[in-house]
């Protein structure tokens, strides 16, 4: 059984160091390839650095005699794709804060709804019925037919119900 700290045979070390030198020589080509995916120079440098780190950490997986350039380009492309999918799945920084800011607290809406319901119970039955029918999207003509009154009377009831609600709620409904 060999220990992890045992030295490698000299031929393997020489082979690895020559591959590492080749990797260093291919770094400009990696930068050029990364420009196809990204525009920001900082992002390009980060992608190339991550690619080089992955390549050097798994250099034992490279098969000598095959194209080192293709191997590195594949690592770079796969790294870019993985990072892209991760960014789409997990919004970072400002995106998360903007989502939190953009959504109003549900508690406030629940309180406003409760206040509105309480104010609606204070309206007379005919005004409440007229207002709820019109607010639900029923036309004035149909609502007047349902309430058994003329259109002018229905419009008057709806108008007075709105004024009463605004005074009861302190004009909170007007945004």
């Amino acid at each position: 059984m060999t220990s992890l700290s045992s030295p490698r045979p000299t031929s393997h070390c020489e082979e690895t160091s020559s591959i590492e030198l080749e990797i260093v020589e291919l770094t400009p080509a990696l930068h050029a390839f990364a420009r196809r995916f990204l525009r920001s120079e900082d992002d390009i440098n980060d992608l190339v650095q991550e690619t080089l780190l992955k390549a050097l950490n798994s250099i034992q997986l490279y098969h000598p005699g095959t194209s080192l350039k293709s191997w590195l380009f594949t690592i770079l492309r796969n790294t870019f794709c993985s990072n892209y999918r991760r960014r789409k799945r997990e919004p970072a920084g400002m995106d998360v804060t903007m989502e939190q800011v953009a959504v109003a607290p549900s508690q406030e809406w629940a309180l406003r709804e409760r206040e509105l319901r309480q104010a609606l119970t204070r309206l007379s039955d005919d005004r409440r019925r007229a207002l709820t029918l019109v607010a639900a999207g029923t036309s004035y003509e149909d609502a007047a037919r349902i309430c058994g009154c003329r259109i002018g009377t229905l419009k008057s009831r709806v108008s007075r119900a709105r004024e009463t609600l605004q005074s009861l709620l302190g004009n909170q409904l007007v945004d």
Side-chain angles (χ1 to χ4, degrees):
M1 183 168 154
T2 60
S3 71
L4 294 175
S5 61
S6 66
R8 295 179 181 165
T10 48
S11 64
H12 189 269
C13 287
E14 289 171 6
E15 187 177 293
T16 302
S17 64
S18 70
I19 293 172
E20 289 171 353
L21 287 174
E22 262 187 272
I23 290 174
V24 171
E25 291 172 3
L26 288 171
T27 303
L30 286 172
H31 276 276
F33 187 59
R35 281 189 185 86
R36 292 178 176 216
F37 302 110
L38 301 165
R39 300 220 166 141
S40 166
E41 199 61 38
D42 290 335
D43 291 340
I44 291 169
N45 289 334
D46 289 345
L47 180 60
V48 170
Q49 182 178 4
E50 191 174 351
T51 301
L52 292 173
L53 184 65
K54 286 181 177 183
L56 292 173
N57 282 337
S58 58
I59 199 144
Q60 72 279 1
L61 298 175
Y62 171 71
H63 302 292
T66 60
S67 174
L68 181 63
K69 186 176 181 180
S70 296
W71 186 66
L72 291 172
F73 279 20
T74 301
I75 293 172
L76 187 137
R77 187 194 68 231
N78 290 344
T79 302
F80 170 77
C81 291
S82 297
N83 291 344
Y84 178 78
R85 283 191 297 268
R86 186 179 308 116
R87 275 193 308 270
K88 282 187 74 171
R89 188 176 60 242
E90 302 167 0
M94 226 23 207
D95 296 337
V96 172
T97 352
M98 291 308 292
E99 285 179 16
Q100 291 171 351
V101 169
V103 177
S106 60
Q107 298 162 339
E108 181 181 341
W109 287 108
L111 289 173
R112 289 183 94 177
E113 180 187 12
R114 188 178 314 136
E115 290 171 356
L116 179 61
R117 286 183 187 276
Q118 288 173 352
L120 281 171
T121 61
R122 291 183 169 175
L123 294 176
S124 64
D125 290 338
D126 57 341
R127 289 182 184 175
R128 181 176 47 248
R129 187 171 186 202
L131 180 66
T132 54
L133 283 170
V134 171
T138 308
S139 69
Y140 280 102
E141 294 83 17
D142 292 341
R145 226 176 292 120
I146 293 170
C147 291
C149 63
R150 296 182 184 178
I151 293 177
T153 306
L154 182 88
K155 287 182 179 182
S156 176
R157 289 178 184 172
V158 169
S159 176
R160 288 189 180 124
R162 287 179 179 160
E163 287 173 7
T164 306
L165 282 179
Q166 282 182 342
S167 67
L168 289 174
L169 296 172
N171 292 330
Q172 292 178 3
L173 292 177
V174 181
D175 284 333

